[in-house]
């Protein structure tokens, strides 16, 4: 059986996510979150005070030379930059919960039953993709967030909790059927 790796990013739990059934139908061995599994920061509008026109000098001449040569150009600041409010760890946790509640994502992450299951001894064999990835700015909880974000540790921990939320042995799965065997070795 060929191994497939699926890669995705930029997922917003409040928007339609039509690709999970497509990915599930491809039955990848692994899925890599390439960043922005959620958008925890909140858009708060546009910074219209940053819009304007200003004169920008070209070069390093002294003031007399600048006046003589009239070097420079007009710079227009438009469109205005957006304003984003950083997320707290509680908000980040809530957004990962919302992503997990997207039924098609949860079905993808929980895997699929293998046909002609061998070695299941009367039970079912479920193939589940290995899900891992990297954290990006919005996963941190800040637009353009990076390692300087004040909740970076908490953001990373919440991302790990999200990745392993559906893994057997986690609290979420204590009530799983006893006859289910999870196999990622194909």
């Amino acid at each position: 059986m060929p191994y497939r790796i699926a890669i995705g990013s930029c997922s917003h739990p409040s928007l339609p996510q039509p690709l999970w059934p497509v990915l599930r139908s491809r039955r990848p061995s692994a899925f890599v979150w390439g960043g922005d599994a959620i958008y925890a920061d909140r858009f708060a509008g546009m910074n219209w005070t940053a819009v304007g026109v200003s004169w920008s000098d070209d070069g390093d001449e002294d003031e007399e030379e600048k006046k003589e040569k009239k070097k420079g150009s007009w710079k227009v600041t438009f469109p205005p930059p957006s304003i984003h409010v950083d997320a707290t760890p509680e908000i980040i946790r809530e957004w990962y919960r919302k992503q997990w509640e997207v039924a098609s994502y949860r079905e993808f992450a929980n895997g699929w039953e293998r046909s002609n299951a061998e070695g299941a001894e009367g039970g079912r064999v479920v193939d589940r993709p290995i899900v891992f990835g990297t954290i990006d700015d919005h996963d941190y909880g800040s637009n353009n967030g990076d390692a300087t974000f004040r909740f970076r540790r908490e953001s990373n921990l919440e991302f790990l909790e999200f990745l392993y939320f559906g893994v057997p042995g986690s609290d979420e799965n204590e009530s799983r059927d006893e006859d289910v065997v999870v196999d990622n070795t194909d």
Side-chain angles (χ1 to χ4, degrees), residues 16-97:
Q17 297 186 17
L19 292 178
W20 296 118
V22 174
L23 289 175
R24 189 171 193 267
S25 73
R26 300 300 305 222
R27 298 183 176 210
S29 301
F31 177 76
V32 181
W33 278 107
D36 295 339
I38 59 167
Y39 284 79
D41 56 302
R42 184 174 52 86
F43 175 73
M46 306 301 275
N47 183 0
W48 288 98
T49 62
V51 174
V53 178
S54 61
W55 180 259
S56 176
D57 294 323
D58 296 334
D60 295 326
E61 298 98 3
D62 63 27
E63 290 301 314
E64 282 301 312
E65 285 182 47
K66 288 180 188 174
K67 286 179 187 174
E68 249 180 63
K69 295 180 182 177
K70 296 184 181 177
K71 283 194 165 185
S73 60
W74 288 101
K75 303 289 182 190
V76 177
T77 306
F78 194 85
S82 58
I83 301 169
H84 292 261
V85 177
D86 293 346
T88 62
E90 294 77 22
I91 292 171
I92 294 167
R93 183 178 309 115
E94 178 65 16
W95 277 104
Y96 280 124
R97 184 191 63 72

